[in-house]
Amino acid sequence: MERTTCCVVGGGPAGMVLGLLLARAGVEVTVLEKHADFLRDFRGDTVHPTTLDLLDELGLGERFAALPQSRLDRVAFPVDRDETLVVGDLRRLAGRVKHPYIAMVPQWDLLDLLADAGAAEPAFTLRMDTEVTELRRDADGRVTGVAYRTADGAEGEIAADLTVACDGRGSTARAQAGLRVVEFPVPMDAWWFRLPRRPEDGSPGLTPRMSQGRLAVVIPREGYFQIAYLGPKGRDAELRARGIEAFRADIAELAPDFADRVDALASMDDVKHLDVRLDRLQRWHVDGLLCLGDAAHAMSPVGGVGINLAVQDAVAAATLLAAPLLRDQEGGPRVTPDELDAVRRRRLLPTIAVQTVQRLMHRGLVVPVLAGRRGGPPAPIRRLLARFPRLTVVPAYLIGVGLRPERAPAFARRSPTSSPLTGDRG
C-alpha cells in the first residue's frame, strides 16, 4: 500500500496552498485531484489582497503578476443612468495592504502556478485523474487514509497519518465522516455566463445591476464580462424551459448597455447553474481527518469571499499542524484531535462573521430586489455613504482582508530568487 504523511483530497485553492506550505515544512504530502486538469468554467476567480500578500511571502508574487488579469478596486451600484454609488472602495486600503485591489485571474492559472511551485518541493506530490472513493479506518474508527480510483479504472489505497478534505461543498470525505452540517436558508441561485468586453467599455469596478425582480453582478475580465444572474432558488428548470430568447431579453432589460451583445449566448448551454448553499460543520474533524474550505463551510457567492476564506483556512492549518505532522513523520505521537480542532477554533470567528454578513445581505438586499420591492440599495445606506464616503473602507476591508488575515509561516517563505534546493528563505 502507498503511504504519505498527509493526504489532501481536492486540488482546489485550499488543497494546493495547504500542500505547498506543508511540503515546504518538510511534511510528505500527496494531493489527489479527480480531474485531469484545472480547467473549469465559472470557478471563483477572485484573488483578494490577503492572498496576494501570501503569494508575495511565498516568493510567487512576480510570477502571479505576470499572469493575464484584470483588477477590481471598487464595488459600485448604479443609482441611475449617470450616477453610481460606491459601497466598497478598496483603494482606501492603500497603506493597510500592499495590494489594494482584487485580482481577477482564471482559477486554473492560479492552481497551475501553485502546482509548479509544489513540484519544486521534494516532499510534494500531485496526483491528477485520481478520485477519492472512500475513507479508510482502523479498528478504533480513526481515519487512516483513502481508497481511490484513477481515470483508467485502476484502484488503490493511500495510507496517511492525516487526511484533509478540501474537496468542496459536495465533499465525499465529509459525507463519509458523518460530520453534522448546519444549513442556513438561501433565497437564490446563480446562473453564470460570459458576454464580450470591448475596448470602449473601459475598466469598470465590480458592478451589481438591479431592477425590481432582477439582480446581476457584472465582473470585468480580460476580454469578456463574467456575469452572475441571481434569481429565486429552484428556478433553473423554469429558466431553461423559457429558452435562450427570453433569457437574453431579461439580461437586456436589466443591463441595457449589454443589449447589443446578448446574442453571444447561443443557447442555455452557455448559462451555468450554481445551486447556492450556505452551511458549516459543527465540528471540522474526526480522528485522522480535517475538513477545510467549502468542505467545512459552504459560502454564498455574495461578496466573492469564499476562495479567500478557504486559502486562509489552509494557511492556518499549515501553520498549526506542520510541527505535529513532522513529529508524527519522525515516529513521535500522532496528530491529536485537539490539535486538529485548533484549526476550527482559529478560523471559526471569521467564518461566522462572513456568513452572518451574507445572511444579512440576502435578507436586506437580495430578497427585496428579487421580490420586486426594491430596485437598488436601501435609501438610508445610499444617503449615509453619499454623506460619509470614507465609510466605504469598511466593506472594502471585510471583502479584501477579513477579520483574521493569515500570514505565511516562516518555514514556507521564499524570496522570488530563492532556490528550493538551498532552502534559502530570502
Side-chain angles (χ1 to χ4, degrees):
M1 180 186 297
E2 303 168 73
R3 180 166 187 82
T4 188
T5 300
C6 180
C7 178
V8 178
V9 182
M16 295 299 289
V17 168
L18 177 65
L20 174 61
L21 267 59
L22 288 178
R24 287 189 173 182
V27 175
E28 293 179 358
V29 57
T30 300
V31 180
L32 305 181
E33 167 55 42
K34 68 179 180 180
H35 295 98
D37 54 44
F38 297 122
L39 296 174
R40 252 83 66 210
D41 272 340
F42 305 120
R43 302 285 287 269
D45 297 334
T46 55
V47 183
H48 291 235
T50 46
T51 304
L52 293 169
D53 285 347
L54 173 69
L55 292 170
D56 285 342
E57 292 163 354
L58 299 179
L60 303 175
E62 292 182 5
R63 291 171 58 190
F64 179 84
L67 296 174
Q69 61 189 265
S70 56
R71 296 179 177 181
L72 301 176
D73 58 18
R74 62 197 183 281
V75 179
F77 286 86
V79 176
D80 54 39
R81 289 180 62 88
D82 302 313
E83 182 184 356
T84 59
L85 174 69
V86 176
V87 297
D89 192 344
L90 280 83
R91 295 168 296 186
R92 294 186 181 276
L93 298 178
R96 296 178 174 90
V97 296
K98 183 178 177 181
H99 305 279
Y101 56 85
I102 294 172
M104 299 297 301
V105 172
Q107 190 178 112
W108 56 79
D109 284 341
L110 173 63
L111 297 178
D112 282 338
L113 175 69
L114 294 170
D116 288 345
E121 304 296 329
F124 180 91
T125 300
L126 172 62
R127 300 266 296 272
M128 306 296 288
D129 266 338
T130 305
E131 180 178 8
V132 169
T133 57
E134 191 176 355
L135 296 177
R136 291 302 190 212
R137 300 174 185 265
D138 63 16
D140 297 322
R142 183 179 189 276
V143 174
T144 57
V146 300
Y148 66 81
R149 181 173 53 244
T150 63
D152 59 7
E155 296 183 347
E157 296 184 14
I158 297 180
D161 298 313
L162 175 65
T163 301
V164 183
C166 297
D167 49 342
R169 63 184 62 197
S171 171
T172 298
R174 176 174 92 171
Q176 293 193 6
L179 292 166
R180 183 180 174 189
V181 182
V182 178
E183 298 240 14
F184 302 101
V186 175
M188 81 287 187
D189 282 337
W191 288 265
W192 290 97
F193 58 94
R194 296 177 179 179
L195 291 178
R197 182 180 176 189
R198 300 167 181 162
E200 60 267 25
D201 292 322
S203 300
L206 182 65
T207 310
R209 307 294 179 94
M210 297 182 180
S211 66
Q212 291 188 347
R214 295 187 177 93
L215 172 61
V217 179
V218 180
I219 303 170
R221 302 293 302 273
E222 286 290 304
Y224 63 93
F225 288 103
Q226 182 172 317
I227 301 176
Y229 179 82
L230 303 182
K233 185 161 244 344
R235 288 272 310 276
D236 184 58
E238 178 184 339
L239 276 179
R240 295 186 185 281
R242 291 174 67 227
I244 192 61
E245 291 292 344
F247 188 79
R248 288 174 185 156
D250 287 346
I251 301 306
E253 182 178 347
L254 178 60
D257 47 332
F258 290 156
D260 62 348
R261 63 191 85 179
V262 294
D263 286 346
L265 297 173
S267 74
M268 289 301 292
D269 290 339
D270 294 331
V271 182
K272 310 301 181 184
H273 173 235
L274 172 66
D275 179 16
V276 175
R277 292 169 55 185
L278 189 65
D279 65 39
R280 65 175 175 264
L281 296 178
Q282 285 192 327
R283 209 161 36 98
W284 294 15
H285 76 282
V286 296
D287 196 5
L289 172 76
L290 174 68
C291 295
L292 296 178
D294 274 2
H297 45 72
M299 312 301 288
S300 163
V302 171
V305 296
I307 289 180
N308 192 54
L309 205 64
V311 168
Q312 299 298 302
D313 285 356
V315 177
T319 302
L320 292 168
L321 298 178
L325 285 168
L326 285 172
R327 177 194 70 207
D328 192 342
Q329 186 170 287
E330 294 165 2
R334 296 186 305 198
V335 178
T336 67
D338 188 61
E339 288 169 330
L340 297 180
D341 192 50
V343 179
R344 180 196 63 87
R345 295 195 301 268
R346 182 174 181 87
R347 298 301 305 163
L348 186 59
L349 176 60
T351 300
I352 291 175
V354 168
Q355 291 187 329
T356 299
V357 170
Q358 290 183 331
R359 293 168 67 191
L360 291 172
M361 291 289 288
H362 292 170
R363 186 161 52 242
L365 181 63
V366 175
V367 170
V369 170
L370 295 183
R373 300 195 302 268
R374 182 179 297 148
I381 298 295
R382 288 158 54 181
R383 289 194 295 267
L384 181 66
L385 292 178
R387 184 172 181 182
F388 302 105
R390 290 181 181 273
L391 290 177
T392 57
V393 73
V394 176
Y397 189 87
L398 291 175
I399 292 172
V401 179
L403 288 186
R404 192 165 204 170
E406 304 285 350
R407 303 293 301 273
F411 59 74
R413 296 186 178 222
R414 301 284 191 273
S415 72
T417 58
S418 64
S419 166
L421 299 179
T422 63
D424 176 22
R425 287 168 168 76

